Amino acid sequence: MVEAIRTLPVSLGSYEPGQEILRDGERPACCLAVVDGWVSRLKFLPGGGRQIIAFHIAGDLPDLQSLHLGVLDHGIAALTPCTVARIPHEALRELSARLPELAAVLWRESMIDAALFRGWLTANGRRSAYGRTAHLLCELSLRQRAVGLSTGRTCPMPLRQTDFADAMGLTSVHIARTLGALRKAGLITLQARTLTIHDWNGLCEAAEFDPAYLHLKSVDR
């Protein structure tokens, strides 16, 4: 299957922070795969605000649903300098029809994507600012570890306070205070776009974090 995937026609594009990759309402002819960097899925509100609904890192397929839904119901934008691969829908459908195991992998990817949404919905709807911030840091740490982007308990964390705020429905001021509280508790250090978790168990306890929803097959938690 891996060799067959390598035969797919792919075009690469590079984007700068804040640059739109796809707009809400577009009818894309390709699926995206993040090669490097970070992107977000987001919705812009009529008043000019935004809600970030997902963060994506290298290896993620942020718009896999466009393969079947046609119209994109959210936007995709670069959070950092990033490279994105575009895979034509037609080629991906044809290969999936020939390789049922690939279709199963893509279906599983969609199910995990839905599980992430449920995790975010629960965290943002029922946890305190302290808990939801801790929860997001736990998630992003494990997701990066799963694809080899972290070293021990240290990983890239290029998000700005406004990115955290727009993902969790908080203000930037509230985020600054909450991150400060996590630092003061000795749980994390966040500086120079790098996150170091000093007390993993303590951070998980603060977050009420259960990694089962990530459906990671082999990660040292």
Side-chain angles (χ1 to χ4, degrees):
M1 183 175 66
V2 174
E3 290 303 319
I5 290 173
R6 287 175 177 164
T7 67
L8 286 168
V10 172
S11 60
L12 298 178
S14 297
Y15 299 87
E16 294 302 315
Q19 189 175 357
E20 286 187 303
I21 301 172
L22 287 173
R23 293 186 178 182
D24 193 343
E26 277 196 48
R27 294 179 177 270
C30 300
C31 281
L32 304 180
V34 182
V35 177
D36 61 56
W38 290 50
V39 308
S40 68
R41 281 192 275 178
L42 70 170
K43 293 284 289 188
F44 286 104
L45 305 178
R50 66 171 184 167
Q51 175 67 49
I52 292 177
I53 56 177
F55 294 118
H56 290 283
I57 60 176
D60 286 350
L61 303 171
D63 71 331
L64 186 56
Q65 69 276 14
S66 71
L67 186 62
H68 299 292
L69 295 183
V71 179
L72 202 66
D73 59 14
H74 58 272
I76 298 177
L79 284 169
T80 69
C82 66
T83 302
V84 173
R86 295 177 183 267
I87 309 168
H89 286 167
E90 182 179 358
L92 198 52
R93 290 193 192 102
E94 289 178 356
L95 188 58
S96 297
R98 288 195 287 113
L99 296 176
E101 58 269 38
L102 174 59
V105 167
L106 297 179
W107 176 242
R108 184 178 187 276
E109 183 72 17
S110 295
M111 294 301 95
I112 293 175
D113 191 46
L116 287 172
F117 274 118
R118 291 191 292 272
W120 276 42
L121 179 63
T122 302
N124 287 351
R126 303 304 297 173
R127 291 190 173 94
S128 66
Y130 190 83
R132 74 182 77 165
T133 303
H135 196 276
L136 182 58
L137 294 178
C138 287
E139 175 187 305
L140 293 175
S141 172
L142 279 188
R143 286 172 59 193
Q144 291 188 84
R145 178 176 294 195
V147 294
L149 294 177
S150 67
T151 302
R153 291 297 178 193
T154 297
C155 64
M157 190 55 59
L159 304 181
R160 302 167 300 170
Q161 288 183 6
T162 53
D163 298 325
F164 281 110
D166 290 345
M168 292 185 284
L170 301 169
T171 66
S172 294
V173 172
H174 203 161
I175 288 294
R177 291 173 179 168
T178 303
L179 290 172
L182 290 168
R183 285 193 294 267
K184 188 174 181 180
L187 301 179
I188 67 164
T189 298
L190 182 56
Q191 60 183 10
R193 299 167 69 86
T194 300
L195 170 70
T196 300
I197 300 174
H198 302 294
D199 183 353
W200 173 253
N201 290 334
L203 190 64
C204 288
E205 183 178 353
E208 300 177 323
F209 184 71
D210 179 355
Y213 75 103
L214 296 174
H215 299 279
L216 299 174
K217 291 184 177 179
S218 58
V219 172
D220 177 13
R221 299 167 183 170

